[in-house]
Amino acid sequence: MEQIKKMRLADFSLSVADLDTATQIQLNRNHQFINVTDIQIDNQNLILINTPNRKALTLTQFFMRTQNLSRSMRITTQNTDSITELWGYRVLPENHSIALK
C-alpha cells in the first residue's frame, strides 16, 4: 500500500503560487470549514491554529509569516492532544478560500 505524502511548506507554496493572494486559508475538519487564524512552529512542524471569532489568514499573510522558515517544514494542525499532518487542500472559489485537509 502506498503511503500518503504529507504536505511540506515548499509543496504548498509552489502549488498555490497562481492563486489570488487575498485567498483565505481554512481547515476542513469533520466536513466543516474553520478559519486558520495563526501559525506556530514546533520542531519541523508548521502548526495551523484556529482562534474562534478571528478572521482567516490570507495567502499574503501566510507567506509573510513563513518566508524565513525552512521549506521542508511539514504543514500540520493540532487537535486536542495530537498533531495531524495535512496532505492537500481544496479550492473553494465560492468562498474565496482554500480548505486544507
Side-chain angles (χ1 to χ4, degrees):
M1 187 165 117
E2 186 177 326
Q3 184 177 5
I4 295 177
K5 303 271 187 200
K6 306 301 184 194
M7 191 169 17
R8 296 176 307 142
L9 181 56
D11 303 326
F12 178 71
S13 298
L14 184 61
S15 70
V16 299
D18 292 334
L19 294 178
D20 181 349
T21 56
T23 299
Q24 296 181 337
I25 304 172
Q26 298 181 321
L27 289 169
N28 185 348
R29 273 199 193 146
N30 301 321
H31 305 291
Q32 292 184 325
F33 300 115
I34 60 172
N35 291 339
V36 171
T37 58
D38 206 354
I39 60 170
Q40 290 180 348
I41 309 304
D42 176 35
N43 295 322
Q44 284 301 308
N45 295 317
L46 175 70
I47 305 170
L48 303 180
I49 304 295
N50 167 263
T51 303
N53 303 318
R54 292 196 55 207
K55 286 184 149 189
L57 291 178
T58 64
L59 287 175
T60 296
Q61 293 167 322
F62 179 85
F63 291 134
M64 292 292 290
R65 293 179 187 192
T66 60
Q67 67 186 357
N68 295 323
L69 299 177
S70 167
R71 300 335 249 165
S72 64
M73 293 190 93
R74 299 285 183 191
I75 298 180
T76 65
T77 187
Q78 190 163 9
N79 295 326
T80 308
D81 57 353
S82 66
I83 291 178
T84 303
E85 291 190 51
L86 301 173
W87 53 271
Y89 64 89
R90 183 171 88 180
V91 177
L92 304 168
E94 66 278 6
N95 296 344
H96 200 64
S97 65
I98 57 174
L100 288 97
K101 51 187 172 179

